[in-house]
Each structure stands twice: as C-alpha cells, then as structure tokens.
Amino acid sequence: MEWGRFFSYLAVMAGVTYLVRMLPLAVLRRKIKSRFLLSFLYYAPYAVLGALTFPDILYATGTLPSALLGLAAALAAAWLGRPLLVVALAASAAAVLARLAGI
C-alpha cells in the first residue's frame, strides 16, 4: 500500500473516531431528561453487542445442533443468574460435549 493512501485512510479514521466522541459533548451540554433517550443510550451497547455476537454463536462449532445446544446451555446458565465466566464455560462445555457425541 502506498504511504500517501495509508495516511489518508488513517486521517479519515482518526477524524471519524474523534467526531463520534466529540459530538455528544458539544451537542448535549445539559443533562438529558428524556426517559426514552436515556433508555436508548443505556440499552444500545447491549443491543449492538448482541447483534454482532449472535450470528457467530450459530456458526462457531461447525454444526448447527451443537451450536444450539451451547446456546441453550448459555441461556439456561444466564437465566439462573450465574456469572459470565460460568455462562461461557457452560456453553463451551455443552458445545464440546455435543461435538464429541457426534451431534
């Protein structure tokens, strides 16, 4: 890649990153009172993370049945209020056991 092109891409990326972080501070100078907007800003990161993660869950093991068993184990552990590490370990163990069983 040419250095000029690289630095132009880098400058665009830095500008976009700066704008995303600076604009809320410049535009929203007073406290947000809207319950809808506060709720949206609270739940948006979780929704984005879920949208980015969920498709990979279904394709991570190579077979859909073992992935669904891992997903079910994760949902069950999360529903029971287990910590995140326990949820991840339960999902991984269920998927590995399913693959070992030939599912």
Side-chain angles (χ1 to χ4, degrees):
M1 180 180 283
E2 303 170 17
W3 286 106
R5 183 179 256 181
F6 170 76
F7 284 118
S8 65
Y9 289 162
L10 185 66
V12 169
M13 181 189 67
V16 168
T17 302
Y18 177 74
L19 283 175
V20 167
R21 294 170 189 265
M22 184 270 309
L23 277 178
L25 294 175
V27 173
L28 305 172
R29 292 185 181 250
R30 55 194 156 97
K31 187 174 179 174
I32 300 171
K33 296 178 184 173
S34 168
R35 290 183 63 182
F36 174 78
L37 188 57
L38 285 173
S39 177
F40 173 79
L41 292 173
Y42 180 81
Y43 289 111
Y46 299 108
V48 170
L49 182 62
L52 292 173
T53 305
F54 186 74
D56 286 336
I57 292 171
L58 299 178
Y59 297 105
T61 63
T63 64
L64 187 59
S66 62
L68 290 175
L69 285 173
L71 176 62
L75 289 174
W79 183 265
L80 294 173
R82 301 294 182 244
L84 183 59
L85 181 61
V86 174
V87 171
L89 290 174
S92 299
V96 167
L97 291 174
R99 289 293 288 162
L100 289 175
I103 298 175

